[in-house]
């Protein structure tokens, strides 16, 4: 079946669905879907995310199956695949969850921590972040030639990470050959310590000192760590001498980072230092409208205003938005101001609960004798993956956090990765008594 015929078949399905479901459900769940292939007795359909796939399969799979059978005159197996599958989301062992999916696309950047949707085009700009935005775009266009280093600072949740990863994405799109490293200061610290422990310092130094673009997030956490500061100092000098670009972020300017060596503070201040202020109401509203489009949802300005008034920082905006979208889809209602208000009130009530996300993570780590830096870090050893997915499961079940919120507290992971981990644990808990006992042991100490 050629592309034209596939489009005709799926357009017919969408036309029927639009008449059968509410406008909110159609825009949220079906508007951005497409029929990828129709081979023998299998129809493969692409949807924006695994969250959307989960909702479609629970409520509309039988209806879609019937419509395709009516059109094609035969039974077909309908398989949904996410349009973008992050590298960490799928392993060979877990492949059946995404049956029919092709090889996961290469993440933008040279580390899986760089999110493909963190681009300049997807960033809302106002007076609170305009200078930082202009500086970042200038750096991306003139790598190593202007504002080197670029030092961005501001409180949590104002968009520093988005801006830095947008630089990485922009540079990579223009020149994929360049070596781009995005890393948090915690990960940088771990790599240096591990290299010293295993006598692999030469390889570690070569990795960082050969970069064309080095981005270090939350650099304030290297303060007081002499060996780490020394390594960064020498790496910094070599990269600058070679014309490489350095971008750093912190919650405060270099001069205010206590226990930071003067020579490093001087280097950090040697380029351009810009701050990002807490987002104003207009910026938060604009961010919500941009993020809603990413999920295929037409969000009204009134709903965006309700959310913007209730949520303080940009990091929490996406979590609140997804909660509202999911609640609307589950109830079969439009995303209205009143629905948004009720969903946000539930979130506020949950936030009053005495149990916090870090409590859950701490108990999981203590039970398995691992560090919180490991469970939040990038390593994928089997024991770490298991502990990480149990933490995802408990954060969902005990605190009812959104997948985006869980991703944020577990080191900035994509919400599709979190959904996959939670779903996997839900299946295993019901079939493996030993796992249920472990989870019971973890939760005994939780309030």
């Amino acid at each position: 079946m050629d592309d034209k015929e596939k489009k005709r078949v799926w357009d017919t399905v969408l036309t029927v669905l639009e008449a059968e479901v509410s406008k909110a459900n159609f825009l949220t769940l079906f508007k951005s879907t497409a029929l990828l292939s129709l081979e023998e007795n299998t129809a493969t359909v692409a949807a924006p995310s695994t969250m959307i796939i989960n909702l479609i399969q629970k409520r509309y799979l039988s209806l879609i199956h019937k419509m395709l059978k009516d059109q094609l005159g035969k039974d077909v197996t309908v398989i949904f695949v996410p349009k973008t599958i992050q590298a960490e989301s799928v392993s060979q062992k877990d492949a059946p969850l995404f049956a029919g999916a092709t090889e996961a696309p290469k993440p933008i950047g040279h580390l899986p921590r760089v999110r493909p949707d963190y681009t300049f085009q997807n960033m809302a700009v106002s007076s609170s972040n305009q200078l930082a935005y202009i500086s970042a775009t200038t750096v991306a266009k003139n790598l190593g030639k202007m504002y080197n280093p670029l030092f961005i600072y501001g409180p949590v949740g104002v968009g520093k990470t988005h801006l830095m990863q947008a630089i990485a994405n922009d540079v990579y799109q223009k020149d994929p050959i360049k070596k781009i490293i995005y890393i948090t200061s915690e990960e940088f610290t771990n790599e240096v310590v591990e290299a010293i422990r295993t006598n692999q310092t030469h390889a570690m130094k070569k990795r960082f000192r050969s970069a064309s673009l080095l981005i270090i997030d939350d650099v304030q956490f290297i303060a007081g760590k002499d060996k780490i500061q020394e390594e960064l100092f020498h790496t910094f000098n070599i990269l600058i001498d070679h014309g490489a670009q350095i971008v750093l972020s912190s919650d405060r300017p270099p001069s205010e980072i206590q226990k930071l060596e003067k020579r490093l503070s001087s280097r950090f201040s040697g380029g351009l230092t810009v701050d990002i202020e807490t987002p104003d109401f207009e910026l938060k509203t604009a961010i919500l409208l941009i993020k809603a489009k990413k999920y295929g949802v037409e969000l009204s300005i009134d709903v965006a205003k309700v959310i913007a008034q209730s949520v303080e920082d940009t990091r929490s905006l996406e979590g609140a938005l997804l909660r509202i979208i999911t609640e609307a889809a589950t109830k079969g209602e439009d995303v209205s101001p009143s629905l948004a208000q009720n969903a946000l009130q539930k979130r506020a009530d949950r936030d009053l609960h005495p149990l916090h996300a870090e409590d859950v993570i701490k108990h999981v780590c203590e039970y398995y004798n691992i560090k919180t830096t490991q469970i939040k870090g990038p390593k994928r050893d089997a024991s770490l993956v298991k502990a990480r997915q149990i933490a995802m499961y408990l954060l969902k079940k005990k605190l009812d956090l959104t997948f985006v919120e869980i991703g944020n507290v577990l080191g900035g992971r994509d919400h599709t990765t979190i959904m996959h981990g939670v779903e996997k644990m839900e299946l295993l808990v019901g079939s493996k008594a030993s796992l249920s006992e472990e989870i019971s042991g973890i939760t005994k100490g939780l309030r």
Side-chain angles (χ1 to χ4, degrees):
M1 180 178 289
D2 59 25
D3 290 343
K4 186 176 181 181
E5 181 64 12
K6 284 187 293 187
K7 186 176 186 306
R8 184 196 66 77
V9 169
W10 194 244
D11 282 347
T12 303
V13 172
L14 291 178
T15 299
V16 176
L17 285 169
E18 191 169 11
E20 290 283 337
V21 306
S22 69
K23 181 180 179 182
N25 275 5
F26 181 79
L27 293 175
T28 302
L29 302 179
F30 299 109
K31 185 179 179 182
S32 298
T33 59
L35 182 61
L36 291 182
S37 65
L38 189 53
E39 300 174 358
E40 296 182 353
N41 296 319
T42 301
T44 303
V45 180
S49 69
T50 50
M51 180 190 75
I52 298 296
I53 290 171
N54 191 41
L55 291 170
I56 291 175
Q57 288 179 328
K58 283 183 178 179
R59 304 191 63 183
Y60 301 106
L61 183 59
S62 59
L63 177 60
I64 293 171
H65 178 266
K66 181 179 182 301
M67 286 188 288
L68 286 173
K69 181 180 179 182
D70 291 344
Q71 283 196 75
L72 303 171
K74 62 178 181 179
D75 270 325
V76 292
T77 300
V78 184
I79 295 175
F80 289 90
V81 298
K83 288 182 177 178
T84 302
I85 303 173
Q86 297 300 316
E88 189 183 39
S89 299
V90 184
S91 65
Q92 288 297 318
K93 182 179 178 182
D94 301 316
L97 184 64
F98 301 102
T102 57
E103 183 181 352
K106 181 180 179 182
I108 298 177
H110 290 258
L111 286 178
R113 295 291 304 279
V114 178
R115 288 179 49 167
D117 57 325
Y118 276 9
T119 64
F120 291 128
Q121 292 76 19
N122 288 341
M123 191 168 195
V125 182
S126 77
S127 58
S128 64
N129 66 350
Q130 187 175 35
L131 179 57
Y133 177 86
I134 293 172
S135 303
T137 55
T138 301
V139 162
K141 292 175 183 176
N142 304 275
L143 209 62
K145 297 177 181 177
M146 293 187 67
Y147 310 149
N148 201 11
L150 175 63
F151 192 102
I152 304 170
Y153 73 93
V156 172
V158 294
K160 300 188 297 295
T161 298
H162 185 142
L163 200 54
M164 292 197 302
Q165 293 194 11
I167 295 173
N169 283 333
D170 192 75
V171 172
Y172 180 77
Q173 290 285 18
K174 293 173 183 174
D175 190 355
I177 302 301
K178 287 190 181 299
K179 183 175 180 181
I180 303 165
I181 297 178
Y182 167 84
I183 195 167
T184 66
S185 64
E186 183 177 28
E187 291 166 344
F188 180 80
T189 298
N190 292 342
E191 289 205 26
V192 173
V193 171
E194 183 67 12
I196 294 172
R197 187 184 71 81
T198 58
N199 198 27
Q200 296 290 322
T201 55
H202 178 74
M204 178 270 296
K205 290 177 180 181
K206 182 178 179 181
R207 165 169 142 73
F208 289 114
R209 297 177 187 184
S210 60
S212 298
L213 170 61
L214 175 63
I215 304 173
I216 303 181
D217 209 347
D218 288 328
V219 76
Q220 72 271 13
F221 291 121
I222 69 167
K225 300 171 182 175
D226 295 340
K227 286 285 186 183
I228 309 305
Q229 292 191 61
E230 182 179 356
E231 178 57 38
L232 182 55
F233 175 77
H234 294 302
T235 296
F236 190 106
N237 288 341
I238 289 172
L239 288 176
I240 294 294
D241 288 344
H242 291 171
Q245 178 70 48
I246 298 173
V247 181
L248 308 164
S249 83
S250 172
D251 61 356
R252 68 204 76 174
S255 60
E256 295 180 14
I257 301 177
Q258 295 183 2
K259 297 183 180 180
L260 181 68
E261 292 181 4
K262 288 184 179 180
R263 59 179 182 172
L264 264 183
S265 179
S266 175
R267 295 296 191 280
F268 290 172
S269 305
L272 177 66
T273 301
V274 293
D275 70 316
I276 303 180
E277 299 174 357
T278 302
D280 54 27
F281 174 76
E282 290 76 13
L283 179 58
K284 289 188 289 184
T285 302
I287 290 171
L288 284 163
L289 295 174
I290 291 172
K291 289 187 178 294
K293 286 185 178 179
K294 183 179 79 172
Y295 292 106
V297 176
E298 294 293 332
L299 194 70
S300 73
I301 189 71
D302 291 334
V303 173
K305 287 179 178 179
V306 168
I307 304 172
Q309 287 173 339
S310 304
V311 180
E312 291 299 322
D313 63 80
T314 55
R315 186 171 292 178
S316 302
L317 286 175
E318 189 166 10
L321 176 63
L322 282 174
R323 177 176 294 278
I324 291 163
I325 291 172
T326 304
E327 185 149 336
T330 303
K331 292 182 177 180
E333 299 179 8
D334 292 336
V335 181
S336 64
S338 59
L339 183 143
Q341 192 66 58
N342 289 336
L344 290 168
Q345 185 57 53
K346 289 180 184 177
R347 183 176 183 271
D349 293 342
R350 185 208 70 209
D351 289 343
L352 295 175
H353 197 284
L355 185 63
H356 298 288
E358 292 300 329
D359 297 325
V360 174
I361 294 170
K362 177 184 174 184
H363 278 77
V364 172
C365 289
E366 288 178 348
Y367 189 88
Y368 291 108
N369 193 28
I370 59 177
K371 298 178 180 178
T372 56
T373 54
Q374 292 177 302
I375 203 169
K376 295 180 180 182
K379 288 188 177 180
R380 290 192 47 77
D381 298 347
S383 58
L384 284 178
V385 170
K386 177 184 176 182
R388 194 176 291 138
Q389 290 181 334
I390 287 174
M392 296 174 188
Y393 173 81
L394 291 175
L395 288 167
K396 186 65 181 172
K397 296 301 177 184
K398 293 295 182 182
L399 298 184
D400 193 28
L401 300 185
T402 66
F403 296 123
V404 170
E405 289 170 329
I406 296 171
N408 285 336
V409 299
L410 285 176
R413 286 176 159 76
D414 187 82
H415 73 277
T416 57
T417 300
I418 306 304
M419 172 173 279
H420 167 65
V422 172
E423 288 175 345
K424 182 177 179 181
M425 283 298 110
E426 286 175 340
L427 291 172
L428 292 177
V429 166
S431 59
K432 295 183 73 171
S434 60
L435 182 62
S436 297
E437 290 176 4
E438 290 178 39
I439 291 176
S440 177
I442 295 167
T443 56
K444 279 181 181 178
L446 295 174
R447 287 183 293 167

